[in-house]
Amino acid sequence: MLNGKKVTAVIVAAGASRRMGFDKLFYELQGKPVLAHTLDAFEGHPLVDAIVLVAGENEARVRALAQGRPKVEAVVRGGATRVASVRAGLAAAGRQGLVAIQDGARPFVSEALVTRALEAGARWGAAAPAVPVKDTIKVVDAEKFVRGTPRRDSLMAVQTPQVFDAFLYSEALAACADDTATDDCGVFEAFGGRVKLVEGDYANLKITTREDLAPYEGKERTAVRIGHGYDVHRLTDGRKLILGGVEISWEKGLLGHSDADVLVHAVMDALLGAAALGDIGRHFPDSDPAYAGADSLALLRRVAGLLREAGWEPENIDATVLCQAPRLAPHIPEMRRRISAAAGLPEAAVSIKATTEEGLGFTGAGEGVAAHAVCLLREAD
């Protein structure tokens, strides 16, 4: 895939973050510094052989962060400009194989994006990820009057990692007379090289200003779980028909050890399953006389308590009842009210639907009623 070429990632972490007022690379993002996210993306990438970190005045902190990451071969001091810092990193990386130059402040770079850039770099000698520009771009003069409007469909916003043949890029840097260039591809283009662009990712943003951090400030990643529940009970004479905690007038009812509320049972199984707490048979076995004729809504309240003890809270429930007759639509609002109250959810977070199976199967033949339920749990605060 890369023709056996060694891959060295040069991660540039020498910026002064003047626009931020603090070192953005060590901002705690989802439990660890921004730079740690970036570093881990390359430490864990199967095609990356070595890492060179380019530090600035934060060198001591960068060196500390590099500890315990075996792919880090060197931490070097950068310069006052991007070109000077990359030049220092490339000197440590050497002139063999491929070099992938990465902004330290791009913590959301994905393995797939890095792979695309490396494969294209190995083939073309120079490659970078890029995304289409979303906004219309204006070219202005010194007084901010518009001089022109380039066609948006010809514009791409380039990202990192920017991947180059290490020898060719060393030659480009040696020939570079403009140390103020801010784009690695621009240095290569000025040398006469061609750069192949590959599909980037809008999520691969560079944290540049305080506003870039706004979506993440005060927020840690919240764990979520999904669950699915299914239950079925036979219809029989001499039993009450109870669905969603609502008693429905009908000639038959559902057979079961408890009140046989198939809808609530499916909901309980979905909640328990999402939290990996087993199923209702484990918690309320039909061999236990204590649950004979039990109110399923009361059992649902106990399930909600088990979730809280395990550190989970329900976010929403969506259920479907498969029933040929009777017609359930008039009863659904009350079912939603009762289930939401028992589960500790707002009514708007509980959806219940009813459908027939057009005379097909045991539910279509009126022999029984089935229900499916799905739910989302989130980690409790």
Side-chain angles (χ1 to χ4, degrees):
M1 183 163 50
L2 302 183
N3 300 320
K5 295 180 179 180
K6 178 183 178 180
V7 174
T8 303
V10 173
I11 300 178
V12 182
S17 300
R18 292 185 180 89
R19 281 174 284 186
M20 302 288 284
F22 58 90
D23 194 340
K24 63 190 176 186
L25 295 173
F26 290 89
Y27 177 88
E28 287 288 318
L29 180 67
Q30 296 175 351
K32 61 184 180 181
V34 166
L35 181 57
H37 287 276
T38 308
L39 182 52
D40 287 345
F42 288 85
E43 180 72 33
H45 197 288
L47 298 180
V48 174
D49 301 297
I51 297 171
V52 172
L53 279 164
V54 184
E57 294 178 1
N58 57 9
E59 183 177 351
R61 299 180 76 184
V62 172
R63 286 187 179 278
L65 197 61
Q67 295 298 313
R69 292 178 167 89
K71 287 187 180 180
V72 177
E73 291 190 343
V75 177
V76 299
R77 191 66 178 256
T81 66
R82 170 80 175 202
V83 172
S85 292
V86 172
R87 188 177 281 122
L90 202 61
R95 294 161 64 92
Q96 302 296 317
L98 295 174
V99 59
I101 304 170
Q102 170 71 11
D103 297 320
R106 288 189 189 269
F108 304 117
V109 63
S110 69
E111 181 177 309
L113 185 147
V114 174
T115 299
R116 287 196 296 272
L118 290 174
E119 290 176 345
R123 179 177 180 185
W124 301 99
V131 292
V133 171
K134 293 182 178 181
D135 298 320
T136 297
I137 305 299
K138 298 290 184 180
V139 179
V140 301
D141 61 21
E143 297 180 336
K144 298 298 187 290
F145 284 101
V146 175
R147 294 177 55 191
T149 306
R151 287 179 56 90
R152 192 168 62 187
D153 58 9
S154 68
L155 300 175
M156 300 286 283
V158 71
Q159 303 177 329
T160 64
Q162 298 183 8
V163 179
F164 305 94
D165 177 279
F167 175 80
L168 291 178
Y169 202 70
S170 295
E171 294 293 299
L173 279 173
C176 180
D178 180 14
D179 263 23
T180 65
T182 59
D183 175 55
D184 308 307
C185 288
V187 172
F188 195 70
E189 293 158 26
F191 182 64
R194 298 177 67 207
V195 178
K196 175 69 172 177
L197 296 184
V198 298
E199 180 187 356
D201 184 350
Y202 286 110
N204 183 30
L205 62 88
K206 182 180 180 182
I207 295 173
T208 304
T209 67
R210 184 82 195 203
E211 288 72 23
D212 295 327
L213 290 170
Y216 311 101
E217 290 191 313
K219 295 181 181 179
E220 298 295 331
R221 181 176 295 174
T222 300
V224 295
R225 298 273 190 90
I226 59 171
H228 172 260
Y230 172 77
D231 197 30
V232 58
H233 283 276
R234 181 183 299 276
L235 283 166
T236 186
D237 295 324
R239 291 272 299 185
K240 294 179 180 178
L241 178 60
I242 300 174
L243 290 171
V246 177
E247 184 175 338
I248 299 170
S249 178
W250 186 242
E251 59 194 35
K252 293 183 178 181
L254 292 170
L255 180 64
H257 184 64
S258 64
D259 61 9
D261 190 331
V262 67
L263 172 56
V264 175
H265 291 181
V267 168
M268 288 192 290
D269 262 350
L271 294 170
L272 290 167
L277 294 175
D279 59 19
I280 56 175
R282 168 183 164 185
H283 295 278
F284 316 114
D286 58 12
S287 58
D288 189 337
Y291 301 117
D295 179 353
S296 292
L297 285 179
L299 302 183
L300 176 56
R301 285 190 286 272
R302 290 177 59 179
V303 167
L306 291 172
L307 295 181
R308 287 191 294 272
E309 291 173 9
W312 297 99
E313 293 180 358
E315 187 72 20
N316 79 300
I317 294 166
D318 181 25
T320 301
V321 184
L322 308 176
C323 179
Q324 192 67 29
R327 187 168 177 267
L328 301 181
H331 306 285
I332 285 178
E334 184 61 23
M335 293 179 188
R336 292 179 62 205
R337 281 191 287 273
R338 297 192 181 193
I339 288 178
S340 62
L345 279 170
E347 189 177 328
V350 175
S351 168
I352 298 173
K353 309 178 296 294
T355 185
T356 70
E357 291 197 290
E358 303 295 335
L360 300 174
F362 68 90
T363 59
E367 297 173 1
V369 176
H372 291 270
V374 292
C375 71
L376 180 70
L377 302 186
R378 59 178 169 81
E379 199 171 23
D381 297 330

